[in-house]
Amino acid sequence: MRLLNFLLGGSILLTVTLSAFESPRKEKKLIKVWETDSTLSVPESVLYDPKGNVLYVANIVGKSDSLDGDGFISKVSLDGKIENLKWTTGLNAPKGMGIYKNRLYVTDVYRLVALNLSNGQAEQTWDATDKKAFLNDVTVDKNGTVYVSDNRNNKIYRLKDDKWEIWMDGGDLNNPNGLLAVGTKTMMVGSTKIGALQSLDVASKKLTKIADGMANTDGIVAVGKDYIVSDWNGRLFYITANGQKQQLLDTRNEKVNSADIDYVPGKKLVVVPTFFKNKLVAYRVE
């Protein structure tokens, strides 16, 4: 807080608090920029690859836990053109994705799959320990540690230095879906059971609630020091670092879902997978 002192009439000292006159934080709004055609098939997650300047899209195709081998990954340009509908096939029901070096990590119901970004071929897989696992989101920190949420069984798995393990189990996770590594010491967690965004201290595994009231939380992206969180039912929320929440989008009446989103910083685009509507929709954040 900055203070300025003014002399009035040569003798009276008036202290003015500048923050009292500063305008409040401006509300954000979304401007629709583009949408793809509807040849995608139950797109659950989208991931921006800054190196390739492309969007990867995980297509479930059938049911979210089907082991049918029909799932695939698409490549979409930043102006909404589907460049390669079936860049990689043979997955079951792919969902969350994360990139580290030349690998695309994607969850596939009961397993984590590492795909080679150069050719889309699967290089390695890791199976969950629970036979009824529902691996959902992926986040990778800057050191290459991979975290995976098991939304159904209230767990977070970790792949670190080639060791795959259950890293957190139960407690205050409240059915984690969306994960976002913030550096190496903090992770944001979307807890669907309580409709909340929580901050997780990686060292202590302590969870702190940042904001709630979001029902079925899904994707989490960083916008500077703030966040945009999707509610699968069809809403997007802008959440400041100190927990102030603003609804950006509500497409529930149109029955358009908003699954695992991503953000393209250079274009200020938030890209939304619409799940059953079989397309991506991109909005500019203003």
Side-chain angles (χ1 to χ4, degrees), residues 197 214 217 219-220 227-231 235-237 239 261:
L197 176 67
M214 291 174 283
T217 52
I220 308 167
Y227 304 95
I228 295 178
V229 177
S230 63
D231 173 351
R235 295 185 293 173
L236 295 185
F237 295 91
I239 301 175
I261 59 176

Side-chain angles (χ1 to χ4, degrees), residues 25 188 197 199 210 224-227 238-244:
R25 177 187 290 270
M188 307 307 294
L197 176 67
S199 175
I210 304 298
K225 294 183 179 181
D226 300 331
Y227 304 95
Y238 191 94
I239 301 175
T240 64
N242 63 2
Q244 296 180 18

Side-chain angles (χ1 to χ4, degrees), residues 38 42 51 57 66 99 104 119 122 146-147 163 181 190 202 218 224 226 230 232 238 249 275 280:
S38 56
V42 194
K51 185 177 180 180
V57 185
S66 292
I99 290 174
L104 175 68
N119 54 29
V146 183
Y147 296 92
K163 181 182 179 182
V202 173
D218 202 324
D226 300 331
S230 63
W232 185 87
Y238 191 94
L249 181 73
F275 213 75
L280 302 181

Side-chain angles (χ1 to χ4, degrees), residues 2-21:
R2 292 178 295 156
L3 302 177
L4 290 183
N5 296 326
F6 295 92
L7 290 176
L8 298 181
S11 60
I12 301 175
L13 183 67
L14 176 64
T15 300
V16 181
T17 305
L18 285 185
S19 60
F21 295 97

Side-chain angles (χ1 to χ4, degrees), residues 65-133:
D65 56 0
S66 292
L67 303 179
D68 51 18
D70 290 337
F72 59 90
I73 306 293
S74 305
K75 292 176 74 172
V76 176
S77 69
L78 295 187
D79 57 2
K81 293 182 175 60
I82 298 177
E83 295 183 343
N84 191 336
L85 180 63
K86 294 188 176 182
W87 172 71
T88 275
T89 59
L91 298 168
N92 294 299
K95 300 177 186 69
M97 296 176 287
I99 290 174
Y100 186 71
K101 294 185 176 179
N102 197 44
R103 277 185 162 183
L104 175 68
Y105 294 91
V106 55
T107 57
D108 193 27
V109 188
Y110 66 91
R111 62 182 181 172
L112 175 70
V113 182
L115 302 173
N116 186 307
L117 278 175
S118 300
N119 54 29
Q121 296 299 308
E123 294 186 332
Q124 198 168 351
T125 63
W126 299 265
D127 290 358
T129 57
D130 195 315
K131 292 182 179 179
K132 295 183 178 180

Side-chain angles (χ1 to χ4, degrees), residues 168-240:
M168 285 188 69
D169 188 357
D172 296 326
L173 284 171
N174 287 299
N175 298 99
N177 184 343
L179 302 177
L180 177 67
V182 182
T184 59
K185 297 181 179 180
T186 304
M187 182 159 50
M188 307 307 294
V189 179
S191 298
T192 57
K193 187 176 181 180
I194 57 174
L197 176 67
Q198 300 196 87
S199 175
L200 173 63
D201 181 88
V202 173
S204 66
K205 298 183 181 179
K206 179 182 178 181
L207 283 155
T208 302
K209 186 186 295 184
I210 304 298
D212 56 14
M214 291 174 283
N216 196 355
T217 52
D218 202 324
I220 308 167
V221 295
V223 182
K225 294 183 179 181
D226 300 331
Y227 304 95
I228 295 178
V229 177
S230 63
D231 173 351
W232 185 87
N233 296 317
R235 295 185 293 173
L236 295 185
F237 295 91
Y238 191 94
I239 301 175
T240 64

